[in-house]
Amino acid sequence: MPTRYAQRMAKVQPSAIGELLALGADPSIISFGGGYPDATLFPAAQLDAVFHEIIQKPGGASMQYAPSNGLPRLRDQIAGLMTADGMSCTADDVLILQGSQQGLDFAARMLIDPGDVIITEDPTFLGALIAFEPSQPRYAVVPVDAEGMQTDRLEAILTANPRAKMIYTVPDFQNPTGVTLSLARRKQLIALANRYDLIVLEDTPYRHIRFTGENLPTLKSLDTEGRVIHLCSFSKVLVPGLRIGWAVASPDILACMGLLKVAADTQTSTLNMAAASLFLDRYDLAAHIATLRAAYSAKKEAMLDAIRQHLPQDITATDPEGGLFTWLTFSEGFDTTDFMRRVALPQARVAYVPGATFFPLTPRANHARLNFSSPSLDAIRTGIAALGKALYANH
Ligand SMILES: Cc1ncc(COP(=O)(O)O)c(C=O)c1O
């Protein structure tokens, strides 16, 4: 019996490269594909201790239902972290989410009617497009260069798209390119959002994993009109399995997202919120993040060294100041999806994410996203050398 699905499901389709990425999960393949943190650096012993402690605590509060907008203590701790990052706020300004991914879903559901326009970077985070798609948006895209979204192109795009309601950006160490939005462009983006009455969805899961350079102010800290929804997450700096992210936004927006939270899942797991909260009380998150920074920075250097040494000279790689990814650009006409299927997986035994999938409107085939946080240093060197060999053999 054919099911009469709602229209919003029309574009909710499995990823065209899902089958290719599934092949990358084969343990005999070196994967630069997923956006995974390094599991060997998970603070497992500390999490073991905090989970034990919260479960043993008399009264069973950590196993009980909790307020839908999050445990008050955790909201307060997160407000402290956000305030330290230049976004002065209190617990009331924080909504705990099931990962920042849930904030992407809520933002679209809250703001987008079918046919409304979401402006994104080009390329952008695939998971955001997946979250936005059920709201049936149209997209307008802004190209990205070494300083992030080219905001000088934004005004023309806004004039051409009067139904633009929201602009989605990953300003720090963007997924997939690794680039960071410059300060001048941050200011220009906020000025245009004010002028064109846009909500800015600022997604910052990598922000605290900076290797070099100075921290730039968040868009939220530059927000004068309550237009920025700031999303952040413990996924990359603690563990993704906790599924804890949060939104900081103006009271009316946060209240609206809070209603969607009740509808979606009532609340984020009490156990996981209580564990995260006790972790912050007992241990030094900043010190843990410093360890991650050092490790990922060394891995990035190893990957870029190997790329310089082994890949054909016409292939360029971004040199991110933080985060988890570098972005390769091959010569025009090179198709990274086809190469992965025919050569990289079966011969080089290496996986990456073909770049075409990150472009909302017009896929460009000559890019690839490489993750350096998850593979070991050895795997990075071996994998890039194998990729280089395969590229020379098939160039
Ligand atoms: C840019 C970006 N936003 C959001 C997410 C979702 O993260 P979370 O685990 O907090 O849901 C990711 C995960 O990779 C990401 O890269």
Side-chain angles (χ1 to χ4, degrees):
M1 181 200 72
T3 304
R4 292 178 299 148
Y5 291 109
Q7 270 180 15
R8 77 179 65 86
M9 294 305 289
K11 285 217 192 150
V12 180
Q13 300 288 344
S15 158
I17 54 158
E19 140 252 352
L20 214 51
L21 295 180
L23 291 173
D26 174 342
S28 72
I29 285 189
I30 295 179
S31 180
F32 303 128
Y36 286 18
D38 184 342
T40 67
L41 299 174
F42 288 160
Q46 293 93 321
L47 284 171
D48 190 23
V50 297
F51 270 105
H52 184 79
E53 186 173 335
I54 58 173
I55 288 179
Q56 296 300 320
K57 214 169 177 183
S62 72
M63 295 179 280
Q64 190 52 278
Y65 284 115
S68 70
N69 48 11
L71 285 179
R73 171 83 185 125
L74 182 63
R75 294 172 76 202
D76 189 48
Q77 290 164 307
I78 288 172
L81 294 173
M82 297 293 92
T83 301
D85 192 18
M87 294 164 281
S88 170
C89 68
T90 70
D92 289 343
D93 305 309
V94 176
L95 172 69
I96 307 290
L97 299 166
Q98 179 109 239
S100 51
Q101 183 70 23
Q102 190 168 47
L104 303 174
D105 173 35
F106 288 177
R109 278 206 266 165
M110 171 174 66
L111 297 168
I112 302 301
D113 289 315
D116 282 346
V117 172
I118 302 177
I119 297 178
T120 75
E121 285 144 353
D122 195 36
T124 188
F125 170 48
L126 176 62
L129 301 178
I130 291 170
F132 298 156
E133 220 47 87
S135 299
Q136 301 173 273
R138 288 184 299 120
Y139 296 104
V141 296
V142 192
V144 164
D145 65 17
E147 292 183 22
M149 180 192 286
Q150 295 179 24
T151 49
D152 51 338
R153 312 266 285 260
L154 192 51
E155 182 142 31
I157 292 167
L158 289 169
T159 317
N161 289 279
R163 284 190 72 180
K165 264 197 178 159
M166 176 168 95
I167 180 157
Y168 169 66
T169 175
V170 183
D172 303 291
F173 327 122
Q174 195 230 20
N175 183 358
T177 61
V179 301
T180 294
L181 190 65
S182 70
L183 179 58
R185 288 184 179 182
R186 285 172 198 243
K187 290 180 177 165
Q188 191 175 19
L189 194 155
I190 292 293
L192 287 169
N194 289 346
R195 193 167 333 137
Y196 286 84
D197 191 17
L198 292 175
I199 295 293
V200 178
L201 185 58
E202 175 182 42
D203 189 12
T204 68
Y206 308 106
R207 175 167 173 81
H208 302 283
I209 308 178
R210 177 176 275 283
F211 315 142
T212 52
E214 289 293 308
N215 257 355
L216 292 173
T218 60
L219 294 167
K220 181 81 217 156
S221 72
L222 302 172
D223 179 17
T224 49
E225 298 188 354
R227 313 190 153 272
V228 177
I229 303 171
H230 178 88
L231 299 179
C232 197
S233 167
F234 284 144
S235 287
K236 313 297 179 186
V237 294
L238 201 47
V239 292
L242 278 177
R243 307 305 306 130
I244 292 189
W246 58 90
V248 177
S250 67
D252 54 328
I253 289 178
L254 214 62
C256 194
M257 290 177 83
L259 295 174
L260 290 173
K261 178 73 181 164
V262 180
D265 58 6
T266 320
Q267 57 159 102
T268 296
S269 151
T270 315
L271 272 172
N272 292 355
M273 289 193 286
S277 175
L278 191 60
F279 184 97
L280 294 174
D281 276 338
R282 289 270 188 282
Y283 304 103
D284 185 347
L285 179 64
H288 179 62
I289 294 176
T291 307
L292 299 180
R293 277 200 204 114
Y296 294 173
S297 174
K299 287 184 174 195
K300 181 207 76 167
E301 292 303 335
M303 182 171 271
L304 292 187
D305 281 350
I307 287 171
R308 280 188 287 268
Q309 195 182 337
H310 297 293
L311 299 200
Q313 295 302 308
D314 60 328
I315 299 169
T316 62
T318 57
D319 184 356
E321 292 189 330
L324 271 56
F325 307 108
T326 181
W327 176 249
L328 300 187
T329 302
F330 296 73
S331 52
E332 285 296 331
F334 189 88
D335 183 339
T336 56
T337 308
D338 174 64
F339 184 77
M340 182 154 154
R341 183 173 285 120
R342 280 189 309 105
V343 182
L345 281 174
Q347 293 174 25
R349 314 290 294 160
V350 167
Y352 50 79
V353 184
T357 183
F358 299 103
F359 294 91
L361 294 179
T362 312
R364 277 188 261 141
N366 63 324
H367 296 281
R369 188 193 74 179
L370 264 54
N371 166 267
F372 49 76
S373 56
S374 172
S376 67
L377 284 166
D378 266 358
I380 289 173
R381 294 185 189 112
T382 315
I384 298 292
L387 193 60
K389 203 166 152 218
L391 281 162
Y392 275 113
N394 289 271
H395 226 41

